[in-house]
Amino acid sequence: MQAILAVTFPFFALVLLGYLAVQRNYLPESAIPGLNGFVLFFALPCMLFRFGSSMPFAQLIDPVLIAIWGGSALLMVGFTIALTLRRSPEGPGVSMKDAAFGALVAAFPNSGFMGFPLLIGLLGEKVAGPLIGCILIDIVVTSSLCLALAQLRPASETATQHGLWAPLGRAMRGAFSNPLPWAIALGAAVAALSVPLPGPVKEIVRMLGDAATPVALFTIGAVLWRAQQHAHTRTPTADYLPVALVKLLVHPLLVLSGGVVANALGATISQFALLVLVLNAALPSASNVAILAERYGADNGRVTRIIMVSTALAFVSFSVIAWAFGVRRD
């Protein structure tokens, strides 16, 4: 456990430093979008490009792993919506829009900003293959589905004449505007064609990729502070704590169960790859969902609290899960 904490503590400490830096005005709030943009459009794509270009395509896109991760994500979305959706105007729960965003934070771990550096620190760079598949599913499938569900209108409104398909199409177009899948695809193409990058370009990619880890973790804390300040509502504990616990405990259990079922059905899946998927599922919720909630007019106060609680609790829960699976730092 001590060896695991030696890895996890600095990562969560950097998140806390980012939060405190903005809270204490060492970093102006106006700088947060710039930090986020640097990570999302420059540093993280370069890191993913490097991994995508350094391994065979079969290691990037494993159908069995994608089926396990995608199936678990869909089950998480359905379970979380069923757990939180309001049954009547007077009853407990939340609206469909807020239930969909709750499902998104429950099924979408912080793989890009936190998962890659943390799992590489624990298990080495060979985690990149399984993680890349997870990121593709989260961006293209899980986020698109939840955003489409969030835009559904009551049956009495004419806007529902296209059902789920119109908002799903809009959400898919938004997913494909994300630079991360394209960075992965470009890296895979470079690897397949065996096209070497010119020396100066390769060095730029390396430098930007190396900057991804500290800046991304610092940005998570800054984004959480900003989201908390811009929360428009006060959320009862019963509306956000269960979802945070579902994220940290039910999600990895579902992924593990999916791997066990896949093995029982005769699928070929390595224990290492399954471990990577389980630990990825045990990560806290993606911090950028709070920005999406604000943009779509959802209850960003509730979403922010789910993310903050999952991030705070994950320091303990993630470390315990890693220890329980016998993770040893090389």
Side-chain angles (χ1 to χ4, degrees):
M1 176 62 82
Q2 185 176 357
I4 293 172
L5 291 175
V7 177
T8 58
F9 177 79
F11 285 85
F12 286 91
L14 275 175
V15 175
L16 178 60
L17 285 176
Y19 184 95
L20 294 175
V22 187
Q23 182 190 56
R24 302 299 176 88
N25 293 319
Y26 296 122
L27 181 76
E29 182 180 346
S30 59
I32 297 175
L35 279 176
N36 200 57
F38 172 77
V39 175
L40 184 60
F41 292 99
F42 294 94
L44 198 53
C46 285
M47 184 177 73
L48 293 179
F49 172 85
R50 283 168 55 194
F51 288 127
S53 62
S54 64
M55 59 185 60
F57 183 79
Q59 294 183 23
L60 297 177
I61 306 298
D62 185 321
V64 176
L65 296 181
I66 287 178
I68 293 171
W69 186 261
S72 301
L74 293 177
L75 288 173
M76 282 291 295
V77 170
F79 174 74
T80 309
I81 288 178
L83 179 69
T84 58
L85 186 64
R86 180 179 293 127
R87 302 302 180 191
S88 68
E90 296 79 20
V94 298
S95 66
M96 184 62 193
K97 177 183 289 186
D98 293 327
F101 270 98
L104 183 56
V105 289
F108 199 149
N110 213 332
S111 307
F113 280 38
M114 180 178 283
F116 261 95
L118 180 53
L119 294 184
I120 287 173
L122 283 173
L123 300 171
E125 292 195 356
K126 53 189 176 179
V127 306
L131 277 183
I132 282 176
C134 294
I135 286 180
L136 291 175
I137 291 296
D138 289 339
I139 292 175
V140 177
V141 178
T142 309
S143 63
S144 297
L145 174 61
C146 290
L147 291 177
L149 291 172
Q151 296 176 73
L152 287 179
R153 305 292 177 85
S156 59
E157 296 187 17
T158 57
T160 56
Q161 57 183 335
H162 299 294
L164 184 64
W165 295 110
L168 184 59
R170 291 193 296 270
M172 289 289 290
R173 288 193 293 272
F176 283 108
S177 68
N178 190 304
L180 303 188
W182 297 108
I184 295 168
L186 183 59
V190 167
L193 298 173
S194 300
V195 179
L197 293 179
V201 175
K202 185 176 181 179
E203 182 64 13
I204 291 172
V205 171
R206 184 195 67 78
M207 292 172 67
L208 285 172
D210 288 346
T213 296
V215 181
L217 294 169
F218 196 86
T219 302
I220 292 172
V223 168
L224 288 177
W225 182 90
R226 180 188 180 277
Q228 184 182 40
Q229 297 307 302
H230 290 266
H232 303 308
T233 58
R234 294 181 59 86
T235 307
T237 303
D239 282 352
Y240 65 84
L241 182 58
V243 179
L245 295 177
V246 164
K247 171 71 204 78
L248 298 177
L249 303 177
V250 177
H251 194 189
L253 181 60
L254 270 178
V255 172
L256 177 62
S257 300
V260 171
V261 171
N263 275 324
L265 293 176
T268 302
I269 174 173
S270 73
Q271 294 301 308
F272 176 81
L274 182 58
L275 173 62
V276 172
L277 263 60
V278 171
L279 292 180
N280 189 45
L283 291 170
S285 304
S287 55
N288 282 348
V289 178
I291 299 174
L292 285 174
E294 185 177 350
R295 182 184 305 165
Y296 280 83
D299 185 351
N300 62 326
R302 173 175 178 264
V303 169
T304 298
R305 283 166 176 79
I306 294 171
I307 298 171
M308 291 190 68
V309 169
S310 71
T311 303
L313 295 180
F315 174 62
V316 175
S317 64
F318 178 90
S319 301
V320 169
I321 290 173
W323 172 78
F325 276 88
V327 172
R328 297 289 186 271
R329 188 184 181 190
D330 295 334

